[in-house]
Amino acid sequence: MQKSVLEQTPQLTPAQTRFHMLKMEDRFREQVLAMASTLVSLVDLRDCYTGGHSTRVADYCHRIALELGVNETETETLLLAASLHDVGKIGVPDHILLKKGLLTEDEFEHIKKHSEFGWMVLRGVEGFEEASLILLHHHERFDGGGYPGDLSGAQIPFGARIVAVADTYDALTTNRPYRNKWEHDRAVAEIERCSGTQFDPKVIDAFMRAFA
Ligand SMILES: [Fe+2]
């Protein structure tokens, strides 16, 4: 009697199944990273400061995470979020995003929307769920009063507290249309001064070990 199609299909051993799944995970991871890199390139095309800035912020986050002993999986999520933290700036009009000069209050309110825009775009994408929360909260302050959630202390995702420090260090040490870049020592001193107010003291301790 002829065998059914199911019976003719070779069955994978448990070891082969595990290997197959690992390959699938690797492929999925590669796809997530490829998509992240595409998004960073898109931001770079729109505003070259933001693109270069995001890559540097990811590098600084990595140095801080190493000091903090953050595990490999969480570091990967952190770096994904750091690379994409300003992706929502794609939704900010050119005349505000690229303005050479100080922003009006209204314009600043518009810029502030970028963290929510980024979160809205990425929160539903498989592989980006956690990173999207980090980028949503990267402008919160440790003592409260930041945006968009007015969160404080442990309410703020830990990764977002790391991105906040790295983001500020890069913004201070880069030339902007409205301000010349600060020297490294001046930027580090300013960030240390904001420990416990704008920034998480635990993150600042790690930042000082890595940067001072
Ligand atoms: Fe931002």
Side-chain angles (χ1 to χ4, degrees), residues 72-86:
E72 209 178 313
T73 311
E74 283 175 2
T75 299
E76 200 162 74
T77 303
L78 170 68
L79 300 189
L80 195 59
S83 307
L84 295 170
H85 73 281
D86 277 342

Side-chain angles (χ1 to χ4, degrees), residues 2-22:
Q2 206 180 359
K3 283 182 174 178
S4 71
V5 175
L6 201 63
E7 282 171 319
Q8 289 176 50
T9 309
Q11 297 296 306
L12 295 175
T13 65
Q16 284 173 321
T17 308
R18 264 199 306 279
F19 180 65
H20 184 67
M21 281 176 68
L22 270 178

Side-chain angles (χ1 to χ4, degrees), residues 85-86 89 114 138-139 147 167:
H85 73 281
D86 277 342
K89 284 190 175 168
H114 75 277
H138 75 276
H139 283 291
Y147 65 88
D167 186 21

